[in-house]
Amino acid sequence: MEQQHRKLLDQIKAARKKLRSSSSFDSALSVELLFEIEQQLSKLVGQIKGSHELRPSSSPSSSLFDPAVSTKSSFEMETQLSKIVDQIKAARKKLGPSSSFDPAFWSSKADILTMDAERMKLYSSLQFREYQEEGGQLSREQWEDVDQKAGERLLESIALARQAKIARDQADKMKGSRFHGIHNAFVKLFNSSKLGFALENAASKGRRRTRDQSMMRDLMKQAYCPGNRLAIWEPVLGTWIDPSSAIAAHLFPWQSADFMEPIFGAGARDELFSSANGIFLHHLIEKAFDRGFLVLVPDTKVEAQNPSTPWEDQEERHKALRGWEMTHPREYRIAVLDATPHCMKEPIFDREVYSLESETLAGLHGRRLRFLNDARPRARYVWWGFLSAVTQLTWKGSFANPDSLIQKEVLKGTRYWGTHGKYVKKNMLLGFVQELGHDVSSITESIMDHAIEEEGGPADPEPDPSGLAIVADQVVRRAQEHDGFDYEAELEHEDESGDD
């Protein structure tokens, strides 16, 4: 019986793979046969598991959970998914490369991104259904926590929805009397290969990325690993590690190079592939850093001496943070913003080898980074990583979790980055403040302390959502790079072949 179960699963997987990338149902396995196999599987699983029913767990907190979808059969979800893919392809072809980028363009772009978010919801539901059919016992919420790809698909769907809102807001803004134009970088971001149609040859871009990344790694080794060509100094663990375990992490994403100067000011782009924009991290630490679970913050006192009366020593703590801006070199430590994910709680480090108090990533909270010389990443790029992490966790709803360290930070009234350093242009920060709102008021109140006032610029500039769009873009890219199914490649292949 178990062998029959496995055979049916393999047949369904093969059929589903064809249907996901096809706009029609002309695959070798007909729709009727797929439906028949799924019916056989349902009966067989019922025999194997007795009274166990294959259905998602009740009301998980995940925003991808949709009761309407959960009641549908796999066949119905596959059919709906295929229709959405058809609609996206048709909308993309109709939109086409545009030079006007008028309100109609941005409205159409918003519609495409909304459909893309819905596609991701359905795709994730199908993945969970397959997990259950194979005997998985976790709830939907637990599965999205334990399975990294599932968790990234969850955030990707949210990021696509945020991109859709930004595009729709752009359309509305262009209709208003206060609209003063749009910078080219914003247009290019919304028309990259991951969010629209490619404007640049992917092969040449890939070759340039490899060359630049290699150059950056060499520059980082010169800056952070003096006197050792065979190993990499990892500042969080405070030891030399094998180069194969070390990631040369970008603090500001290299894919958003066109935004360096609109965000940070003139000359910033020159630092994109420099040691100022990078830090060596153990690959497991880098994954948590990339997903916003942990960040780098100034190594100075931010916790109140008495958490119940944080106002008593608030000025003293703020003074210490402002003093950090004047120090050289500046020291950093780890702050764990979300310790609840499974990957943050499982033991992965040997405490004796790395002189750690805990075997987990969550246990790194408060750990001071150790550098071998005065070389440090630039504060404004480190701060960008913090801002990106806070945004991602807000989208996921992590601030509502009472166990979240960010939530505790808000309650204590502490400010990891209350340094008053001028890092990012004011209009960009206003976009983040508008997005984060009152959920993290302790942080949003201090965000504007880091605003760069442009000489000759308006005193009350319009919020620019470009920074948010970059964060969303990185979330989508990360999820699609880690997912085994390359949806974008399939769409591009079908478009080239002329299928309708």
Side-chain angles (χ1 to χ4, degrees), residues 23-43:
S23 60
S24 62
F25 293 103
D26 296 330
S27 57
L29 187 65
S30 67
V31 176
E32 292 79 8
L33 183 56
L34 175 60
F35 181 71
E36 180 182 341
I37 294 174
E38 288 184 334
Q39 291 291 98
Q40 292 178 35
L41 177 65
S42 179
K43 292 179 182 179

Side-chain angles (χ1 to χ4, degrees), residues 9 86 90 158 305 442:
L9 282 175
D86 279 348
I158 298 171
Q305 188 171 353
S442 174

